[in-house]
Amino acid sequence: MRRILLLMGIVPILMSLASCGKKENVTVEETTEAWEEMSYLELDKTFTGEEFIGTYDTGCMGAGGGYSKGEVPPYYTLGIVIDWPSLYADKGMSAITATVYNTTGFFDDYKTDEHAYYKRRNYKTGEKRIVGSDENALRLIFMYDIPTTQDAWNLYMQSSVEEYRYMNECINKAVIEIKAEYQDGSTGTDYYRIELYNQYRTGKMNIYKLSEE
């Protein structure tokens, strides 16, 4: 734990033991190949307001999930992959660093095959930095745990309505930090939250810019 805090110690953060409602998780910086634990970074900030930025297409794709054959676990994992829009286009950027807080999500390189998150069972925490102002080089990935059921006919999974409910809970907790580096040497940090445009569809999302005290 101390090692992680030192590595990420630019802002006051903690590694949480919860994962979108799952409270039994063991804290780790990155999950094992078995993908049985999740963790996330928690941001200790107070926001006093927000500004609606716009509605954007997500290009959303599933990242797989489920569990291996054998004994049915208490949870199964699903994920979604979202294209992050260009909010800083034509603003003279030299680099952007993006981080997801307060939920089991992270940014990754757009070039990463979206199926890799399922095949590799890959989950990461921490920041993602790209050079230049092309935020389209970023993907936003959410992984979330859902309790299994007694319904063998449905492979012990929840209904799609329940899955969307858990998905919305996971997404709505997110605080997204964008650290901007400008070509003139100046810097700035902005915070955002997102929500699905339709709580039962993943095709569009609303983005809000958060304001601090």
Side-chain angles (χ1 to χ4, degrees):
M1 176 69 73
R2 183 175 299 171
R3 181 177 65 86
I4 296 174
L5 289 174
L6 288 174
L7 287 174
M8 304 299 297
I10 298 176
V11 294
I13 56 179
L14 299 173
M15 295 298 294
S16 175
L17 301 181
S19 173
C20 293
K22 179 179 176 183
K23 298 181 180 179
E24 296 88 337
N25 284 340
V26 176
T27 300
V28 289
E29 183 177 14
E30 187 169 332
T31 59
T32 64
E33 190 171 298
W35 206 11
E36 293 176 349
E37 300 95 19
M38 287 188 181
S39 61
Y40 62 81
L41 304 174
E42 186 172 282
L43 180 65
D44 184 15
K45 274 185 176 294
T46 300
F47 299 101
T48 58
E50 61 182 33
E51 174 190 359
F52 176 66
I53 300 300
T55 301
Y56 300 85
D57 292 331
T58 65
C60 186
M61 301 180 183
Y67 50 86
S68 59
K69 295 180 180 179
E71 183 179 353
V72 178
Y75 298 89
Y76 66 99
T77 305
L78 293 179
I80 57 173
V81 181
I82 294 174
D83 294 339
W84 185 251
S86 291
L87 303 180
Y88 294 82
D90 304 322
K91 292 191 176 181
M93 309 296 300
S94 60
I96 292 173
T97 302
T99 309
V100 180
Y101 294 100
N102 301 349
T103 193
T104 50
F106 61 98
F107 280 95
D108 204 354
D109 194 311
Y110 183 87
K111 296 178 181 179
T112 303
D113 180 358
E114 63 272 7
H115 298 294
Y117 305 112
Y118 172 63
K119 293 177 181 178
R120 293 166 53 200
R121 296 187 178 274
N122 189 19
Y123 182 80
K124 304 173 184 177
T125 61
E127 61 186 31
K128 183 67 178 180
R129 185 175 187 270
I130 59 171
V131 176
S133 61
D134 185 12
E135 293 166 274
N136 286 324
L138 289 172
R139 271 192 171 131
L140 176 56
I141 298 93
F142 289 100
M143 301 293 186
Y144 53 106
D145 290 329
I146 302 177
T148 50
T149 71
Q150 300 298 315
D151 300 327
W153 63 270
N154 195 35
L155 300 178
Y156 305 98
M157 296 189 297
Q158 300 279 354
S159 67
S160 60
V161 171
E162 282 298 295
E163 288 184 346
Y164 270 108
R165 186 174 70 82
Y166 278 93
M167 178 191 302
N168 275 277
E169 179 184 349
C170 191
I171 289 175
N172 290 344
K173 288 180 179 179
V175 173
I176 294 169
E177 178 187 77
I178 302 292
K179 292 182 178 179
E181 303 171 35
Y182 296 91
Q183 294 175 1
D184 63 5
S186 61
T187 60
T189 302
D190 296 317
Y191 295 93
Y192 300 91
R193 76 171 183 90
I194 66 173
E195 64 183 16
L196 293 179
Y197 180 77
N198 183 322
Q199 63 177 334
Y200 297 116
R201 297 288 186 274
T202 56
K204 293 180 181 293
M205 66 178 175
N206 295 327
I207 298 181
Y208 300 84
K209 186 176 183 180
L210 302 175
S211 55
E212 301 180 62
E213 292 180 324

